[in-house]
Amino acid sequence: MDPLLALRPWEAPEVTSWGRLPMNAVDRRAGALKLDGDWRFQLLPAPDAPVSDVWSSSYVPGVWTMQDTDDLPQYTNVRMPYAEFPPQSPAANPTGVYERQVDVPADWAGRRIVLQVGAAESVLLVHVDGRPVGISKDSHLAAEFDLTGLVTPGERTVVRLTVVKWSDASHIEDQDQWWHGGVTRSVLLYATDPLHLADVTVRAGRYGELRVDCRVRDTGGALPDGWYVSGELDGQLLGQDTEFDRINAEDERVSDFLGEARLRTTVPDVRTWSAETPELYDLTVRLHRADGTVADASRHRVGFRDVEIVGRDLLVNGERVFVRGVNRHDFHPLTGRTVSYDDMRADLVLLKRFGFNAIRTAHYPNDPALYDLADELGFYVVDEADIESHDHAHEIADDPRYLNAFLDRVSRMVLRDKNHPSVIIWSLGNESDYGAGHDAAAGWVRRHDPTRPLQYEGAAKLGWADPGLASDIACPMYAPLEDCVAHALSGEQTRPLIQCEYSHAMGNSNGTLADHWAAIESTPGLQGGFIWEFWDHGILQRVNDGRPVGRGGAGLYEGGVAAPGHRWAYGGDFGETIHDGAFIADGVVFPDRTPKPVMYEHRELAAPVRLECFRHEGIVLGNHQHFRGLDWLTAEWELSLADGGTRTAPAELPALRPGETAAVPLPFELPEDGGEAWLTLRVTTAGDEPWAPRGTVVCLPQVPLRAAAPKRVLPVRNRSVEVDADGLLLHPLLTSAPTLSLWRAPTDNDELGGTAPRWRAWGLDALVRKVVDVRQAAWSVTVHAEYASDAGVVRHTQVFTPVEDGIHVEESAELPDALADVARVGSVFETVAGLDLMEWYGQGHWESYPDRAFGAPVGHHSVPVDELFTPYLRPQESGGRHGVRHLTLSAPDATGLTVVLDEPRQVCVTRYRAEDLTAVGHHDEVVPRAGCVVHLDAAHRGLGTASCGPDTSPSYLVPPGVHRWSWTLRTL
Ligand code: IPT
């Protein structure tokens, strides 16, 4: 029997690898043979099933679960998709066998030849020409195998990769994402001289000090005499650290088999690296033979920066930086897990444009290119090891059989990523309880890399002030904001509090993000956090046969929406019986990377330039960055008058250092008329940034200049209002008269947080209106109606009064005390077809809700009705606009209607009734109505984040009692 199979490594947690080379930070991508492309492939029902002669093909890098096999993606969060207890796997264990021929270049004769498999999940067995080569686990890090002597330069060789899907390792790769199987990153074959750089460690500090530690080996055996290393930094030669050599020699630490050398320099006037100023230097390290010829070389991009924790502050280059982070998974709607360089770049560019400066690589090390991009574009990275044993966390954390795997995964990540300036914190993994395995791994990291702090949420659970050995940071997840503030004020805080996950972005969510940031920026000890998460992991699926579309699907989606005949699949959509539904759709971007409205909220919260209104003498402008001036920005003033349109004027940004403010004169003479007035500073990039072309909006800070004057309603006596026998308003532009609405299509937060089930129990989803009384006065009509809920009767009054060109509607609703927390109190009506454009004065133009309205500036906005709606993966309440003062719905021939509200209100205009959305699970199932469904809300519940974490705060709830609102309806 094959010795690799005989070991049954898929049920042996002690076996983390066999025949695998040690991890290192030498980049071998340049000059390597890329073995990507179609490989011969067959899928076996189990790892020990016989390999047949029947081959199909599979694309590498890629997962077979997204290609043409019957093993489809499955989504589970915490629970394992099978019942076997660790370290066991199910007997039905899909195993992919990949094979291809490789022509080994003839000029590699005499060289060391290495195969690198970028990533494979979850167990990789390697054979070459039928001979066993090695085994590797750790699905998100590369495995290298020395093929020297096994392959012959100038000849053709057959490489076989056998990938077992389920294993003991699956129990520690139980992350909240789709389960797949395959080879997910590129496969390379490269050659080096037998005398080679085994590893290079670069340390570069903010005062320009650079130290490069090299490890040298020779596969031939003992090192040849006279080898030495040299280094060059942006053309400047580095010096040999002779002190290091002397101490090594005196201590007799010099070895014949392991060469160690250290290079040093100090760069004067160094340009330091930070997320705002990602300055990089080019370093080349060369390994020479005694005659000076170069045996090996390694290139690195070096960022000079310091990270340290002082007291309860995390400092980058001595500055307490705010961590505006997001959790990012490797995801793509067509490939499942495999992401290209362009994909990663597009992810990071988008994050930069929306004010993010940090990434937690949830929950495993990412492709090496991601760290290069983070160095280059400027991100702080929490690099997380591939350990999540969520379903069996307690058993595994102290299980000695898994100890080796913990150490292996954490140490390999550190060995690979230690030279990246972007990596500022190591993370021991996610959701794996806390045990001796973590402390062992923490010990290894502290010894190997004392230059970075370490975090682990499972340890922080012990107590934020004292999380044991495994965390230098209090890094809870989804902690209530009050608790964070209380901790920071308690006098007991010992370390920075940076939430590793917060503000769960499932569906229409991220309520109270602005409250978080107000607290973070004003409370010493709080420094930020990482939003959960970047992606909605919807897989593009054909509706007719239920199969993933796969790599060929580019162009089958746009603006967050799948093309007709397709949809974004979530848990259960591939026929899985064990799954966790739409919980996989919880990102700040759609599966095609279209930003959700929360991105605009975030962009404004991260604004580098802020405004404060300074009475009438001027505007105070502040630089809210940590390291940069304002010279990279340009700006324009916009004055927006409720009754007078928008005016613009060029703005001069003062020269301000980080943290400084300056008063600037009011750029406009405020006109006497025009009503309510707001001043916006439209801030854009002054030149091309690596992540944004010149003119990209960076932020839109805003201050109010003048409040609205009280509105007067003048009844006209020569006209009347028509209502039917039930007291329902008759109006030529309305197909459904205004009635009371207390319900919204539940958001994911409403459902999972338990509010929607309560609303249903009260009967709010199916309230029946009963007219009590219709009273016709001289010129107005008063209608009393009742809506009987299971928590008591809601009384609703409408008074319709004719006014110039229209009808004024005054409403009140009285909610019994038991209806303590409803979705909304307001009017809903429907219009005739053809009113396709909405223009309004209020917040916008993107979607906003009471607790997610910081980033939507007040102004005049205009959006086609079809585009008001946000197509969250599971249809739910969406499309709302906060703080609307007046709106117009018009047809192309300029007919239509106007609504003027008594005060800024939450308004929602879409093509859908709440019940249309509630009835379906995906967007392809919901049919838009021809007319508009219009909600005008006296009160609307905040969104919160209760699908995972805190609900909205009490101030955003809709209280019982009497609500009053009024509005005027006019025909255009
Ligand atoms: C937390 C997980 O770390 C993350 O992977 C994801 O599942 C998130 O929640 C929810 O989407 S764990 C949760 C039990 C708090």
Side-chain angles (χ1 to χ4, degrees):
M1 191 187 196
D2 182 281
L4 301 188
L5 292 175
L7 260 177
R8 300 183 68 78
W10 52 90
E11 51 192 29
E14 305 86 344
V15 179
T16 54
S17 71
W18 179 80
R20 189 180 68 191
L21 293 170
M23 184 57 91
N24 60 76
V26 182
D27 185 351
R28 301 292 184 186
R29 285 172 286 184
L33 274 188
K34 238 186 173 179
L35 303 186
D36 295 352
D38 286 320
W39 287 51
R40 274 198 300 275
F41 179 77
Q42 58 180 283
L43 190 64
L44 309 179
D48 40 11
V51 177
S52 77
D53 294 334
V54 187
W55 295 91
S56 59
S57 79
S58 194
Y59 191 83
V60 171
V63 289
W64 68 68
T65 32
M66 297 287 289
Q67 301 187 33
D68 250 346
T69 72
D70 293 331
D71 184 30
L72 292 172
Q74 177 175 7
Y75 164 56
T76 67
N77 172 14
V78 175
R79 58 189 152 162
M80 288 297 289
Y82 48 82
E84 280 75 7
F85 206 73
Q88 302 305 318
S89 309
N93 190 356
T95 299
V97 183
Y98 295 81
E99 248 188 35
R100 67 164 281 168
Q101 294 176 332
V102 182
D103 290 318
V104 183
D107 59 2
W108 285 6
R111 292 173 71 77
R112 181 179 78 116
I113 299 174
V114 177
L115 175 74
Q116 184 190 82
V117 180
E121 55 195 78
S122 71
V123 184
L124 169 71
L125 314 180
V126 180
H127 293 83
V128 166
D129 294 328
R131 276 177 295 170
V133 172
I135 298 175
S136 180
K137 296 179 189 171
D138 195 1
S139 293
H140 299 272
L141 281 176
E144 291 192 332
F145 304 93
D146 190 340
L147 303 191
T148 322
L150 288 174
V151 298
T152 313
E155 285 184 14
R156 180 165 283 189
T157 204
V158 175
V159 176
R160 175 183 285 190
L161 308 178
T162 304
V163 181
V164 185
K165 185 173 179 186
W166 305 120
S167 70
D168 52 273
S170 308
H171 292 283
I172 54 171
E173 295 179 358
D174 179 20
Q175 290 97 356
D176 178 8
Q177 60 175 343
W178 292 98
W179 292 99
H180 289 294
V183 177
T184 58
R185 294 186 192 145
S186 290
V187 181
L188 306 178
L189 191 69
Y190 66 85
T192 72
D193 196 271
L195 175 65
H196 65 278
L197 288 163
D199 200 6
V200 174
T201 304
V202 180
R203 288 190 182 155
R206 83 174 125 137
Y207 299 110
E209 62 290 17
L210 175 67
R211 189 183 111 178
V212 183
D213 284 278
C214 306
R215 303 193 126 216
V216 175
R217 290 195 191 270
D218 193 317
T219 35
L223 291 161
D225 284 341
W227 68 269
Y228 66 98
V229 294
S230 69
E232 214 181 297
L233 185 80
D234 275 6
Q236 182 202 329
L237 289 181
L238 271 51
Q240 200 82 32
D241 188 333
T242 44
E243 181 67 359
F244 173 83
D245 295 343
R246 190 185 57 77
I247 293 170
N248 270 359
E250 277 174 11
D251 287 1
E252 294 182 349
R253 286 193 338 224
V254 177
S255 149
D256 288 344
F257 294 92
L258 170 66
E260 288 179 300
R262 182 176 290 176
L263 304 168
R264 273 184 190 281
T265 194
T266 301
V267 178
D269 303 320
V270 75
R271 304 182 309 272
T272 49
W273 185 98
S274 71
E276 288 175 17
T277 58
E279 296 281 357
L280 294 173
Y281 290 71
D282 274 312
L283 170 71
T284 306
V285 178
R286 294 191 182 88
L287 167 60
H288 304 262
R289 302 181 191 90
D291 64 2
T293 53
V294 177
D296 196 7
S298 177
R299 282 199 55 197
H300 304 265
R301 303 206 76 192
V302 179
F304 289 81
R305 60 110 187 88
D306 288 334
V307 189
E308 61 197 317
I309 291 181
V310 176
R312 54 184 187 167
D313 295 329
L314 172 74
L315 306 179
V316 173
N317 299 338
E319 282 292 315
R320 174 179 171 256
V321 295
F322 288 120
V323 177
R324 304 179 187 279
V326 74
N327 282 276
R328 183 190 162 283
H329 266 289
D330 278 346
F331 169 78
H332 193 279
L334 302 180
T335 64
R337 193 92 85 214
T338 295
V339 286
S340 67
Y341 176 84
D342 291 343
D343 288 326
M344 289 182 271
R345 192 165 212 289
D347 292 358
L348 300 201
V349 159
L350 189 76
L351 286 168
K352 276 304 261 198
R353 290 191 192 171
F354 285 89
F356 289 88
N357 70 357
I359 291 170
R360 174 174 177 238
T361 67
H363 298 300
Y364 37 78
N366 287 186
D367 188 285
L370 184 112
Y371 304 80
D372 296 340
L373 285 162
D375 292 345
E376 182 188 316
L377 296 170
F379 282 95
Y380 303 120
V381 173
V382 171
D383 201 6
E384 187 151 283
D386 188 5
I387 304 175
E388 173 161 345
S389 59
H390 214 150
D391 201 7
H392 299 289
H394 187 62
E395 299 94 284
I396 288 178
D398 279 303
D399 184 338
R401 291 172 301 176
Y402 274 96
L403 175 60
N404 189 18
F406 276 49
L407 276 170
D408 190 55
R409 286 160 185 255
V410 172
S411 64
R412 276 167 33 88
M413 170 183 75
V414 173
L415 286 167
R416 188 192 68 164
D417 296 336
K418 59 188 176 240
N419 295 339
H420 288 282
S422 55
V423 175
I424 63 162
I425 297 167
W426 301 116
S427 162
L428 299 180
N430 186 56
E431 289 289 355
S432 303
D433 204 321
Y434 178 29
H438 293 103
D439 282 351
W444 190 93
V445 179
R446 292 193 190 289
R447 170 79 186 204
H448 191 84
D449 179 22
T451 71
R452 292 175 176 92
L454 186 65
Q455 74 174 51
Y456 177 55
E457 183 270 340
K461 273 198 183 102
L462 280 187
W464 298 346
D466 186 12
L469 291 180
S471 202
D472 300 321
I473 294 172
C475 51
M477 45 172 72
Y478 312 107
L481 180 56
E482 320 76 88
D483 294 6
C484 297
V485 173
H487 179 65
L489 300 178
S490 67
E492 280 161 22
Q493 187 179 11
T494 57
R495 54 202 75 213
L497 198 160
I498 303 169
Q499 292 216 54
C500 70
E501 294 175 24
Y502 82 112
S503 199
H504 195 247
M506 185 178 184
N508 191 358
S509 185
N510 305 98
T512 74
L513 196 56
D515 306 72
H516 273 87
W517 277 96
I520 291 165
E521 293 192 354
S522 61
T523 314
L526 304 187
Q527 254 185 280
F530 296 81
I531 290 179
W532 186 266
E533 66 174 309
F534 182 58
W535 285 112
D536 264 0
H537 304 222
I539 290 178
L540 189 70
Q541 182 187 37
R542 280 192 296 271
V543 175
N544 58 6
D545 63 3
R547 297 199 57 90
V549 173
R551 293 176 68 235
L556 287 174
Y557 43 76
E558 207 195 327
V561 181
H566 299 81
R567 66 178 183 182
W568 300 126
Y570 52 74
D573 289 341
F574 292 107
E576 318 105 278
T577 46
I578 299 174
H579 67 82
D580 288 302
F583 206 63
I584 192 66
D586 53 1
V588 291
V589 299
F590 284 96
D592 64 351
R593 211 183 278 113
T594 298
K596 289 188 182 174
V598 59
M599 291 288 270
Y600 297 91
E601 181 84 348
H602 189 273
R603 185 175 74 183
E604 210 50 49
L605 290 168
V609 181
R610 316 266 174 100
L611 296 183
E612 279 166 54
C613 199
F614 186 58
R615 294 197 203 94
H616 296 296
E617 291 132 56
I619 305 292
V620 175
L621 199 146
N623 176 357
H624 282 252
Q625 300 167 99
H626 297 294
F627 302 104
R628 259 185 139 178
L630 300 183
D631 43 326
W632 64 286
L633 298 168
T634 189
E636 187 182 56
W637 293 109
E638 269 177 21
L639 174 68
S640 158
L641 298 162
D643 309 319
T646 307
R647 300 176 193 185
T648 60
E652 195 69 48
L653 290 177
L656 293 177
R657 283 192 302 247
E660 284 183 349
T661 58
V664 296
L666 200 62
F668 297 96
E669 204 49 72
L670 199 56
E672 291 285 310
D673 52 0
E676 185 180 351
W678 287 79
L679 182 69
T680 310
L681 187 66
R682 191 183 164 78
V683 182
T684 53
T685 48
D688 290 341
E689 291 287 320
W691 47 271
R694 175 169 169 238
T696 303
V697 174
V698 173
C699 57
L700 301 164
Q702 189 174 53
V703 283
L705 291 185
R706 185 168 62 204
K711 292 194 176 67
R712 273 174 304 162
V713 177
L714 294 176
V716 288
R717 296 173 186 223
N718 53 354
R719 283 192 19 240
S720 60
V721 175
E722 266 190 87
V723 297
D724 70 8
D726 287 327
L728 294 170
L729 179 70
L730 296 172
H731 188 283
L733 290 178
L734 303 193
T735 54
S736 169
T739 54
L740 179 70
S741 174
L742 303 177
W743 170 251
R744 68 184 179 198
T747 63
D748 293 313
N749 289 326
D750 295 339
E751 290 290 6
L752 299 177
T755 6
R758 200 164 61 232
W759 295 337
R760 282 198 198 89
W762 288 338
L764 300 188
D765 54 335
L767 279 187
V768 179
R769 175 180 179 274
K770 198 180 101 200
V771 62
V772 177
D773 179 34
V774 180
R775 228 173 277 172
Q776 193 90 41
W779 57 80
S780 66
V781 183
T782 301
V783 179
H784 291 286
E786 280 181 2
Y787 295 76
S789 83
D790 273 18
V793 172
V794 179
R795 278 177 240 289
H796 180 218
T797 304
Q798 291 173 313
V799 182
F800 300 105
T801 309
V803 292
E804 197 66 54
D805 307 330
I807 300 162
H808 183 67
V809 189
E810 238 181 281
E811 306 197 51
S812 71
E814 190 185 345
L815 275 63
D817 285 349
L819 284 182
D821 174 11
V822 300
R824 58 162 39 116
V825 176
S827 334
V828 59
F829 60 84
E830 290 174 25
T831 74
V832 294
L835 307 184
D836 295 338
L837 182 69
M838 171 151 133
E839 290 160 285
W840 74 99
Y841 185 70
Q843 293 190 249
H845 64 274
W846 35 83
E847 179 193 273
S848 53
Y849 280 83
D851 60 352
R852 204 191 64 218
F854 182 85
V858 178
H860 293 280
H861 304 287
S862 166
V863 175
V865 170
D866 288 335
E867 291 168 27
L868 288 166
F869 186 73
T870 312
Y872 295 111
L873 263 57
R874 198 189 61 78
Q876 53 195 278
E877 161 69 31
S878 77
R881 299 296 188 277
H882 193 61
V884 175
R885 282 79 165 158
H886 53 78
L887 69 99
T888 297
L889 292 171
S890 62
D893 65 1
T895 57
L897 57 85
T898 292
V899 171
V900 178
L901 291 141
D902 54 346
E903 52 183 82
R905 299 286 186 184
Q906 180 78 23
V907 164
C908 187
V909 179
T910 66
R911 301 263 183 230
Y912 309 101
R913 292 184 185 158
E915 63 261 34
D916 299 342
L917 302 173
T918 316
V920 298
H922 297 83
H923 272 284
D924 59 298
E925 300 160 52
V926 48
V927 186
R929 288 172 188 273
C932 302
V933 178
V934 181
H935 281 272
L936 312 173
D937 290 335
H940 194 104
R941 190 186 199 277
L943 299 167
T945 59
S947 53
C948 182
D951 198 349
T952 193
S953 55
S955 58
Y956 301 112
L957 297 180
V958 177
V962 179
H963 294 261
R964 290 180 208 285
W965 69 107
S966 66
W967 45 289
T968 304
L969 175 68
R970 290 203 180 89
T971 307
L972 287 178

